[in-house]
Amino acid sequence: MVATGCSETVHATETKAMMVTKGYAFPPPASRSFCARQPRFCSTNGRIKQVTLTPAHKAELEAVNRSVNGRIKERSDLATTGSDDDWRVPTKEGDCEDIAILKKSELLKRGWPASALLLTVATLGGEGHTVLTVRTDKGDLILDNRTGAIRDWSRTSYRYFARQSQSENGKWMRIGS
């Protein structure tokens, strides 16, 4: 794994596809109570800001994405908890942010750095969606419950809004276009 500087903003002259952040964003409202209950899943502490994407690391990302997508049934919070938005670590069913949290949890258990695993909110057709962004030396990769493919963030159909800050635990950063 390779450490990078603490700067959130990646300069446009870099060739890898990295998200560029442009100031602070409000965290998703339900994330606050979840993070108070489960701070280890919300942490982005650590000095390693990018993971070197070796073939073994790529295979591990694919295995976690495939495993979680295969065993967690997508179901709305309203149907599972009676709440409009309730972040949690799912065991059998959950919605997009629950599934992204579980993927982060699984990668943390395997020794991946929290500072390179960022919960990220986006929209598609006006509908909100949460994915896990993994910061690598090959660019920012998206683990998504809607596909088994690990994709470069810039090659998805989403309009990215905000993600967890890498340098300020508990803060969220707005993503530039």
Side-chain angles (χ1 to χ4, degrees), residues 8-103:
E8 289 276 348
T9 303
V10 175
H11 300 287
T13 57
E14 292 190 23
T15 57
K16 49 193 166 189
M18 305 295 281
M19 290 179 183
V20 176
T21 56
K22 300 193 177 209
Y24 295 106
F26 290 107
S31 71
R32 293 175 195 232
S33 61
F34 173 75
C35 292
R37 292 187 322 269
Q38 301 280 352
R40 72 182 184 275
F41 298 120
C42 297
S43 172
T44 58
N45 286 337
R47 60 179 181 76
I48 298 172
K49 303 298 181 191
Q50 292 181 352
V51 174
T52 302
L53 192 63
T54 63
H57 282 146
K58 184 154 176 39
E60 201 167 26
L61 287 176
E62 290 168 345
V64 166
N65 197 51
R66 187 174 44 254
S67 170
V68 172
N69 286 354
R71 73 179 194 269
I72 303 299
K73 178 183 177 185
E74 185 173 10
R75 195 157 179 226
S76 75
D77 288 331
L78 198 55
T80 58
T81 68
S83 173
D84 281 338
D85 198 16
D86 179 37
W87 286 33
R88 59 196 162 76
V89 181
T91 55
K92 294 181 182 172
E93 56 190 20
D95 65 1
C96 58
E97 79 273 346
D98 303 327
I99 295 168
I101 290 166
L102 182 57
K103 290 175 185 183

Side-chain angles (χ1 to χ4, degrees), residues 1 40-46 48-51 57 61 64 100-120 131-136 140-141 143 163-166 169 172:
M1 291 186 234
R40 72 182 184 275
F41 298 120
C42 297
S43 172
T44 58
N45 286 337
I48 298 172
K49 303 298 181 191
Q50 292 181 352
V51 174
H57 282 146
L61 287 176
V64 166
I101 290 166
L102 182 57
K103 290 175 185 183
K104 181 173 182 171
S105 171
E106 301 253 333
L107 290 167
L108 289 170
K109 286 179 195 172
R110 294 171 181 237
W112 287 64
S115 51
L117 304 172
L118 308 172
L119 297 172
T120 305
V131 296
L132 181 65
T133 298
V134 180
R135 302 214 77 197
T136 77
D140 291 337
L141 303 179
L143 278 67
R163 69 156 200 236
Q164 292 178 296
S165 170
Q166 280 190 292
N169 207 36
W172 283 66

Side-chain angles (χ1 to χ4, degrees), residues 121-129 146 157-161:
V121 293
T123 59
L124 179 63
E127 180 184 326
H129 189 54
R146 293 179 176 171
S157 300
Y158 299 121
R159 181 182 170 278
Y160 292 89
F161 173 70

